[in-house]
Amino acid sequence: MSDCIFCKIAKGEIPADIVHESDDLVAFRDLNPQAPTHILVIPRKHIATLNDLQEEDATLMGRLHLAARAIAEAEGIAGRGYRTVINCNAEAGQTVFHIHLHLLGGRPMGWPPG
Ligand code: DGP
């Protein structure tokens, strides 16, 4: 999508603090971090929301979670704990309509989330 900010980050058209890249995924630090570690993991493929996932995206979404695990290990938060979140649509607070996994860690977290 030509007007999608995360597609532009994935293509290197706008800058981001990238921590991980592969053929199908990019991970970068959130512009507005909510925890000491706050990284967004995205597929290069433009998928707007969880509601738009297709069966063919199953492997891609599995890789997305494996990348989150590897990044958590690299960030040194795997053992103490971290949270992954995918917001879907307005009531969940999704503001960027290119699917992304939030990887949050480095501080204690409450439950339920707000
Ligand atoms: P969500 O609310 O789940 O759609 O999360 C979108 C996140 O994306 C939010 O935490 C802020 C972050 N974000 C928005 N624009 C940019 C950007 O241009 N660069 C980076 N690094 N993060 C961004």
Side-chain angles (χ1 to χ4, degrees):
M1 284 252 303
S2 57
D3 59 346
C4 169
I5 194 153
F6 285 0
C7 283
K8 288 181 179 171
I9 287 174
K11 288 181 191 158
E13 292 174 2
I14 62 170
D17 186 355
I18 291 173
V19 299
H20 174 88
E21 275 194 279
S22 67
D23 286 350
D24 49 7
L25 302 172
V26 182
F28 50 93
R29 295 192 191 279
D30 195 290
L31 204 56
N32 183 23
Q34 302 301 310
T37 295
H38 188 173
I39 289 166
L40 304 175
V41 190
I42 69 167
R44 291 188 190 275
K45 176 182 177 183
H46 184 86
I47 301 167
T49 78
L50 273 175
N51 289 340
D52 300 296
L53 280 181
Q54 305 293 319
E55 190 63 32
E56 67 194 29
D57 300 319
T59 299
L60 179 64
M61 294 305 287
R63 288 204 189 109
L64 191 90
H65 285 79
L66 288 168
R69 184 191 72 177
I71 295 163
E73 285 168 3
E75 292 284 314
I77 56 172
R80 55 193 284 201
Y82 58 93
R83 184 170 291 170
T84 61
V85 176
I86 299 177
N87 295 322
C88 181
N89 276 342
E91 277 201 9
Q94 185 175 7
T95 58
V96 177
F97 287 84
H98 179 130
I99 201 167
H100 49 282
L101 177 148
H102 294 260
L103 168 62
L104 298 139
R107 65 166 170 82
M109 290 180 201
W111 191 264

